[in-house]
Amino acid sequence: MSEKTSHKEIAVSTSDEIEPPLVQFSDVYRRQLALISETTDALLRGSAAMQGIQRQAAHDSAQRLENAAQKLNGDYSPSDILATQVAYWTTDPGIAGNYWRDMTNAAWQAQSDLLRCSATLFKDQSSGLLKTVMDTWHAMSKNAFNAHPAAT
């Protein structure tokens, strides 16, 4: 009878040794999924912002070209045509500069968001996600080999 009791105690203590790393590992897995979700969200928000800037620039450019084409299709003197071209050339660099400024700002914001998400991996040497993953893996592998002592 005492042998069965001690066997049950060993099974319970072995189960207790294995469970905390498994719980820890599932928490690490949850944290990794949260990090992946946050990172993907930051990436997609940045892409959407840049796409919106590009869409607006294409729309504005199409409007300007349509207006210029209407002016150039009419019966105008060469000086009117030259004035239309000069007006287009003088406003285009400013518009292009604004476009690249907006794209750069959107890219910097996306990069900042991605770095903020990545910082959780290395936030603290003692509690960072990367260290937690390694510690949990080590604890699980150690307990997996020690959970069932070899019968002698």
Side-chain angles (χ1 to χ4, degrees):
M1 230 6 156
S2 66
E3 195 173 309
K4 283 186 176 180
T5 305
S6 66
H7 181 66
K8 286 182 181 178
E9 289 173 5
I10 290 173
V12 169
S13 67
T14 303
S15 173
D16 289 342
E17 288 176 8
I18 293 175
E19 187 174 330
L22 288 175
V23 171
Q24 231 180 358
F25 190 71
S26 66
D27 183 54
V28 168
Y29 180 68
R30 180 193 57 77
R31 290 171 61 192
Q32 286 177 333
L33 285 176
L35 177 65
I36 290 168
S37 297
E38 290 172 14
T39 305
T40 302
D41 181 51
L43 181 66
L44 293 176
R45 276 186 284 125
S47 295
M50 287 187 243
Q51 182 184 24
I53 293 166
Q54 289 173 335
R55 187 181 315 114
Q56 186 62 44
H59 176 72
D60 293 346
S61 180
Q63 286 290 71
R64 284 184 288 116
L65 288 172
E66 184 180 334
N67 292 339
Q70 287 175 354
K71 288 181 181 178
L72 294 174
N73 283 333
D75 190 21
Y76 291 104
S77 68
S79 62
D80 291 335
I81 293 173
L82 183 60
T84 302
Q85 290 174 341
V86 169
Y88 188 74
W89 292 334
T90 56
T91 58
D92 199 41
I95 292 169
N98 290 340
Y99 168 79
W100 286 111
R101 183 201 60 220
D102 293 345
M103 287 295 284
T104 303
N105 287 339
W108 277 110
Q109 182 62 46
Q111 186 67 25
S112 173
D113 291 345
L114 287 170
L115 287 174
R116 193 174 305 113
C117 291
S118 301
T120 59
L121 286 173
F122 308 104
K123 188 185 325 179
D124 184 11
Q125 292 294 332
S126 62
S127 65
L129 182 58
L130 192 61
K131 181 168 178 29
T132 306
V133 169
M134 298 308 288
D135 290 346
T136 303
W137 184 259
H138 178 69
M140 284 182 63
S141 63
K142 185 173 98 175
N143 287 332
F145 292 116
N146 294 334
H148 304 289
T152 55

